Amino acid sequence: MNVPNHIAIILDGNGRWAKAQGKPRSYGHVKGCQNLEVICDDMKELGVKYLTVYAFSTENWKRSQDEIKVLMNLFRGYLKKCIKISERNKMRVKIIGDISAFDPDIQKKIRELEEFSKDYTELHFQIALNYGSRDEILRGIRKLVQDAADGKVLPEKIDEQIFENYLDTAGIPDPDLLIRTSGEQRLSNYLLWQLAYTEFYFTDVPWPAFHKPELIEAIETYNARDRRYGGVKEES
Ligand code: IPE
Ligand code: IPE
Ligand code: MG
């Protein structure tokens, strides 16, 4: 099986999955978080080089205080566990998004995990936390404008490559395949720049129930696609 170099996933449907079983939303988040551990092993086994997951958006602060508390505590536990996951998969972990909004202990765990895993190259795992694509682009532009004002960048020289260096995903290739679980067919402010030519795959399966067979199905569907980048493909 030909695997995409970079897979991005919008981890959606934890709450609905739990509700369908008569359980609280928090149970869905616990299971969704556990599933994230397994999917990294699956990606590594399949030979995927880059995985970028959407775990908490800039809009998710609109949720109840109780739900946010559950999510923050799950992040705490997960970031710690992720050291082991990164070790066994030789996986480099980076957080994308504005982490300054998180409690200091969470920020510290993020820095520790990034530092611990920085020399691994088998799998590159990006977790989007307090991530919003519009926010990412604006933060990048603020920095770029400052660099231009300081004479470090010439405005007429700004091209796509230079701009991309100001995004949280600097140095990471664009996703080949985007998967969104749980039926919604929208981007919810995810990787708007980076997904310009990505293939989209939407499935009704909620995130806690999305396992290796579902992943393989997504990859097989991707493989049957005729990727184009604006040109005309030669007939074979
Ligand atoms: C995804 O599941 C997890 C986060 C956004 C944190 P949801 O919590 O969005 O679950 P649904 O979409 O309400 O079912
Ligand atoms: C998108 O899911 C964000 C994450 C998965 C982290 P949401 O459940 O927050 O998105 P909407 O509100 O349905 O667009
Ligand atoms: Mg949702």
Side-chain angles (χ1 to χ4, degrees):
M1 191 172 57
N2 188 11
V3 295
N5 183 50
H6 185 173
I7 298 182
I9 312 182
I10 301 176
L11 313 173
D12 199 16
N14 291 351
R16 279 165 285 169
W17 177 83
K19 197 177 167 209
Q21 309 191 33
K23 301 252 170 60
R25 292 179 62 81
S26 55
Y27 179 72
H29 292 316
V30 170
K31 289 292 172 188
C33 201
Q34 285 172 2
N35 202 35
L36 197 50
E37 296 177 29
V38 182
I39 212 82
C40 284
D41 297 346
D42 294 341
M43 293 285 178
K44 169 71 189 312
E45 258 176 56
L46 289 168
V48 174
K49 281 287 170 194
Y50 294 84
L51 169 66
T52 303
V53 300
Y54 204 6
F56 192 83
S57 74
T58 46
E59 287 73 31
N60 286 148
W61 297 107
K62 292 177 192 159
R63 297 188 177 198
S64 75
Q65 282 307 306
D66 281 355
E67 182 163 347
I68 286 174
K69 210 170 159 195
V70 165
L71 287 168
M72 294 303 139
N73 282 332
L74 271 172
F75 295 156
R76 285 186 171 91
Y78 178 79
L79 289 165
K80 206 172 150 216
K81 253 196 208 154
C82 202
I83 297 230
K84 284 230 164 65
I85 306 165
S86 109
E87 200 172 17
R88 75 168 177 254
N89 289 318
K90 306 264 177 294
M91 165 179 108
R92 179 172 190 176
V93 190
K94 278 188 190 167
I95 305 304
I96 58 169
D98 180 6
I99 67 160
S100 69
F102 293 115
D103 285 351
D105 70 301
I106 295 183
Q107 293 185 41
K108 186 166 170 259
K109 284 191 170 70
I110 288 172
R111 282 193 298 270
E112 282 167 1
L113 176 59
E114 288 183 334
E115 175 61 27
F116 174 84
S117 65
K118 71 177 190 317
D119 294 325
Y120 291 141
T121 57
E122 291 281 299
L123 174 62
H124 297 262
F125 181 40
Q126 289 68 238
I127 313 172
L129 288 177
N130 190 28
Y131 176 88
S133 200
R134 290 181 172 182
D135 177 66
E136 174 194 37
I137 290 169
L138 285 177
R139 282 186 286 107
I141 287 176
R142 274 184 220 120
K143 216 162 156 265
L144 180 56
V145 169
Q146 188 59 56
D147 282 353
D150 294 344
K152 292 183 200 155
V153 187
L154 290 173
E156 62 273 24
K157 294 268 189 229
I158 297 170
D159 57 12
E160 291 186 10
Q161 266 179 342
I162 289 180
F163 180 64
E164 279 171 358
N165 284 330
Y166 286 83
L167 296 175
D168 296 344
T169 50
I172 295 161
D174 288 343
D176 299 289
L177 170 64
L178 168 83
I179 299 170
R180 181 166 186 153
T181 57
S182 213
E184 308 303 336
Q185 301 193 2
R186 56 176 169 265
L187 291 179
S188 301
N189 204 6
Y190 194 42
L191 302 173
L192 302 181
W193 171 278
Q194 297 88 339
L195 295 175
Y197 266 99
T198 302
E199 295 291 328
F200 290 4
Y201 178 83
F202 299 103
T203 170
D204 287 337
V205 177
W207 171 246
F210 188 91
H211 305 304
K212 201 173 179 186
E214 287 76 21
L215 174 61
I216 289 173
E217 200 182 320
I219 295 174
E220 281 171 348
T221 305
Y222 165 83
N223 278 332
R225 300 264 178 92
D226 178 15
R227 286 196 83 181
R228 293 188 187 208
Y229 303 89
V232 177
K233 228 176 197 177
E234 275 177 42
E235 292 197 32
S236 53

